[in-house]
Amino acid sequence: MPRSVNHVASRAKRKRILKLTRGYFGARKNVWTVAKNTWEKGLTYAYRDRRNKKRNFRALWIQRINAAARQEGISYSKLMGALTKAGIEINRKVLADLALNNPEAFKAIVAKVK
């Protein structure tokens, strides 16, 4: 009895991955093995970078808060410590947004904790 191969499904799987790799450079877009490896590696990078994105944004917020706080004559660490001591629960994302887009509100917060 001849070997049965589901060629329809295997071709569909290849087509699906080749469609996902459209726009890649060189053989990465049209050679099956290269495209599959590139696509799988891309999924790994995506997983890793979803976590790194959170770190990068936190670092950005801290830099923005530090810059605004130093203009008010206080360092970032002293400001965060004073906020905790004063019982003001405001996260870094909101604090950085205030420092950037609403400096008066940021000044008011710094004045309250000084």
Side-chain angles (χ1 to χ4, degrees):
M1 190 169 179
R3 180 168 161 260
S4 176
V5 181
N6 190 354
H7 194 63
V8 175
S10 56
R11 188 189 301 120
K13 182 180 176 184
R14 280 194 288 271
K15 278 184 74 171
R16 180 175 58 89
I17 290 177
L18 287 171
K19 188 177 179 184
L20 290 169
T21 59
R22 269 196 331 208
Y24 286 12
F25 181 80
R28 289 167 174 245
K29 69 176 165 273
N30 55 10
V31 176
W32 162 244
T33 50
V34 180
K36 183 171 72 80
N37 291 339
T38 305
W39 173 73
E40 286 173 350
K41 185 82 168 198
L43 292 178
T44 308
Y45 287 140
Y47 178 84
R48 178 197 70 189
D49 291 338
R50 279 194 298 274
R51 278 129 196 89
N52 287 353
K53 183 179 178 183
K54 294 163 184 60
R55 295 177 210 163
N56 292 338
F57 269 103
R58 185 180 169 95
L60 175 67
W61 298 330
I62 289 170
Q63 288 169 3
R64 285 179 176 173
I65 294 166
N66 191 23
R70 285 182 187 276
Q71 286 180 340
E72 300 301 314
I74 188 170
S75 71
Y76 168 81
S77 60
K78 292 221 170 39
L79 172 67
M80 296 312 282
L83 283 171
T84 308
K85 210 174 274 183
I88 300 172
E89 291 185 15
I90 185 167
N91 65 17
R92 286 163 181 80
K93 181 179 179 180
V94 174
L95 204 56
D97 188 55
L98 287 175
L100 193 66
N101 298 319
N102 199 347
E104 306 86 40
F106 186 80
K107 283 180 186 175
I109 291 169
V110 173
K112 189 161 178 95
V113 298
K114 269 190 175 177

